[in-house]
Amino acid sequence: MKNFIYDIPTKLYFGRDQIEKLPDLINRFGKKVLLTYGGGSIKKNGLYDKVKDLLKNCEIFELSGIEPNPRIESVRKGAELCKEHQIDVILAVGGGSTIDASKMIAAAAKYDGDAWDLVKNRDLIKDVLPLIDILTLSATGTEMNTSSVITNFKTKEKIGTSAYSLYPYASICDPTYTFSVNPYQTAAGTADIMSHTFEIYFSHEEEVFIQDRLAEGILSACIHYLPIALEDPHNYDARANLMWASTLALNGLTSFGKGGPWTCHPIEHVLSAYYDITHAVGLAILTPRWMDFAVNEKTVERFAMYAENVWGIPKGDDLFASARLAIDKTYQFFLDVGLPMTLGEVGIETDEYFEEMAMQAAPRLENSYVPLTKDDVVNILYACRQPRKMSTSL
Ligand code: NZQ
Ligand code: ZN
């Protein structure tokens, strides 16, 4: 196991009614608050009114309309508001997009140049405004990590940046706020949680027993609770388990002591930058095709471990058979929960940009679990155009 420092400063308030702590948390920093949110879901589910009511003693400025795949223009707007009104604290209420944009707003508010500089060069992120968030969608793990993913559609770049100072000061995670998430976003969010777990689980670091069992636990929770949440959106236990899975999948718990470059995320970020697709749907489409590509003599043991510990497929003599069955099950799971599973279904009808996108992704994949060349990425993208052929009869 590699060396690591366990240092997660975010205070996480998990469970029903934790929002009551909000006034106290905000007051630690001052009265001038920038409230950030997305396209209006928080107005429909009553959270906006609740926040305004709890913070009636504060002076609240608002930045609404933060887009899924949040854009650098929103970050710039938010930073301007912070500077203009000398904001004390940012309160982000929403999913990963709102929280990610708010992290960069917090940094850009204390930076004299253009916000995009900070996305391109994390070393420029120094001082930041304090950030508190109320999470409304279980997916990204941003509520307890240092990352922010911002898109610049003008340059066709979607870049994840990270800095210790981007950890939120506090995150309020009340699963009841996810009751209103529709089936599509619920399934997509869970695919994102699973993808984070896969990216970390499939590594060459051996004897990381604890991290591996934690990862398998997170995957099993997703597989168990997603269908329940889809069937019964107000099921508290299902929503709570998915929310906690979202946090644990990407707060370092499964990656401390191991790690290495990811694979499906760099490819998906390029797809999103070119086509503005839902992040997690891109991942669901890519993952089984990547798995097909990644199974080989060196990796099959780990795939068979995934098969056994997550899908209950007994490890027989033929490890490749176990691996193939596990990949089939992964693909079928995403299909069963209603996710689009081909590029055409998300509006990527042609191969026009395959070479260009693969060229952009490939340099980040040279040292991945199974290194990928530009041509490998192109081949994976072609595989994503057709429904995947099952290799077993399930
Ligand atoms: O904008 P509103 O109206 O709020 O609607 C949103 C949006 O349309 C809706 N939604 C959120 N909470 C809801 C709700 N609808 C009803 N009820 C609720 N309670 O869901 C839609 C998607 O929201 P978004 O925030 O975009 O989703 P998600 O949380 O999946 O975030 C995706 C972004 O995070 C990045 C992705 O690349 C993408 O840009 N990621 C961030 C990571 C990180 N910071 O660590 C890691 C991830 O791998 C990922 O890259
Ligand atoms: Zn992700």
Side-chain angles (χ1 to χ4, degrees):
M1 203 185 295
K2 291 179 178 151
N3 292 3
F4 63 89
I5 301 170
Y6 187 107
D7 176 7
I8 308 175
T10 303
K11 298 172 209 319
L12 198 98
Y13 294 80
F14 191 95
R16 284 182 205 274
D17 301 326
Q18 291 287 19
I19 198 169
E20 299 302 332
K21 312 274 187 335
L22 187 64
D24 171 49
L25 288 168
I26 293 283
N27 287 335
R28 291 175 197 184
F29 300 102
K31 297 272 177 226
K32 285 190 166 191
V33 181
L34 178 70
L35 170 64
T36 58
Y37 54 98
S41 68
I42 67 162
K43 290 199 168 162
K44 285 195 203 122
N45 65 13
L47 192 48
Y48 175 85
D49 289 339
K50 178 79 186 168
V51 166
K52 293 287 278 221
D53 186 47
L54 283 169
L55 299 183
K56 48 182 175 295
N57 295 328
C58 293
E59 196 179 350
I60 298 186
F61 300 85
E62 294 190 18
L63 175 71
S64 62
I66 295 176
E67 319 75 10
N69 294 327
R71 296 166 193 207
I72 188 63
E73 288 81 4
S74 293
V75 175
R76 289 184 183 126
K77 246 190 255 169
E80 266 168 41
L81 285 170
C82 290
K83 287 176 181 171
E84 188 185 337
H85 300 292
Q86 290 160 357
I87 293 294
D88 297 314
V89 52
I90 300 175
L91 173 61
V93 186
S97 295
T98 294
I99 299 174
D100 278 8
S102 304
K103 285 178 173 177
M104 287 317 294
I105 292 169
K110 297 275 191 172
Y111 178 69
D112 283 338
D114 179 30
W116 189 243
D117 300 345
L118 304 177
V119 180
K120 297 276 278 192
N121 181 3
R122 67 184 68 181
D123 293 338
L124 296 174
I125 303 174
K126 304 275 187 229
D127 200 10
V128 305
L129 278 176
L131 169 68
I132 293 170
D133 66 79
I134 302 175
L135 181 69
T136 65
L137 202 164
S138 306
T140 61
T142 189
E143 63 274 14
M144 206 182 202
N145 72 31
T146 56
S147 300
S148 164
V149 186
I150 305 295
T151 300
N152 185 335
F153 282 110
K154 288 203 180 107
T155 58
K156 291 189 174 158
E157 287 173 291
K158 177 175 182 178
I159 299 181
T161 191
S162 92
Y164 182 85
S165 54
L166 296 183
Y167 270 120
Y169 174 77
S171 293
I172 294 174
C173 299
D174 180 338
T176 65
Y177 300 149
T178 64
F179 286 174
S180 57
V181 179
N182 67 27
Y184 176 81
Q185 290 293 347
T186 300
T190 307
D192 196 21
I193 300 169
M194 292 176 73
S195 177
H196 299 155
T197 312
F198 290 138
E199 299 271 23
I200 297 164
Y201 182 79
F202 287 102
S203 97
H204 294 292
E205 196 75 38
E206 292 303 330
E207 303 303 330
V208 280
F209 186 95
I210 294 168
Q211 293 89 328
D212 282 344
R213 300 297 87 76
L214 284 167
E216 289 155 1
I218 290 168
L219 292 168
S220 302
C222 291
I223 292 162
H224 179 71
Y225 284 109
L226 173 58
I228 298 174
L230 292 176
E231 178 75 28
D232 175 13
H234 288 242
N235 186 307
Y236 182 83
D237 290 326
R239 294 293 194 178
N241 275 279
L242 292 176
M243 193 167 239
W244 191 216
S246 141
T247 307
L248 293 184
L250 204 49
N251 74 343
L253 206 66
T254 69
S255 60
F256 288 137
K258 55 184 295 197
W262 290 13
T263 310
C264 291
H265 272 69
I267 306 176
E268 192 295 315
H269 282 180
V270 183
L271 283 179
S272 284
Y274 276 68
Y275 291 99
D276 198 12
I277 62 171
T278 302
H279 167 64
V281 172
L283 293 170
I285 296 171
L286 286 163
T287 297
R289 279 73 177 208
W290 167 75
M291 286 179 164
D292 285 335
F293 177 87
V295 180
N296 60 38
E297 289 291 342
K298 271 201 211 150
T299 63
V300 70
E301 181 81 34
R302 187 155 277 271
F303 273 96
M305 184 169 90
Y306 163 60
E308 183 170 38
N309 294 342
V310 175
W311 292 107
I313 301 164
K315 205 191 230 175
D317 293 338
D318 187 348
L319 297 184
F320 281 94
S322 289
R324 281 197 298 271
L325 182 53
I327 301 170
D328 283 356
K329 281 187 177 284
T330 309
Y331 181 79
Q332 189 64 45
F333 176 73
F334 290 148
L335 269 182
D336 289 346
V337 296
L339 289 170
M341 289 302 287
T342 59
L343 291 180
E345 290 167 79
V346 293
I348 306 178
E349 309 279 358
T350 72
D351 57 3
E352 189 183 354
Y353 294 113
F354 280 13
E355 291 280 332
E356 211 175 298
M357 292 192 296
M359 204 112 78
Q360 216 189 98
R364 296 161 67 194
L365 305 171
E366 285 165 5
N367 299 311
S368 295
Y369 179 57
V370 176
L372 261 63
T373 64
K374 186 210 80 184
D375 289 344
D376 296 331
V377 177
V378 169
N379 288 334
I380 288 175
L381 291 174
Y382 273 112
C384 292
R385 294 185 78 180
Q386 313 298 333
R388 180 179 170 275
K389 286 199 185 74
M390 293 293 184
S391 32
T392 64
S393 55
L394 278 184

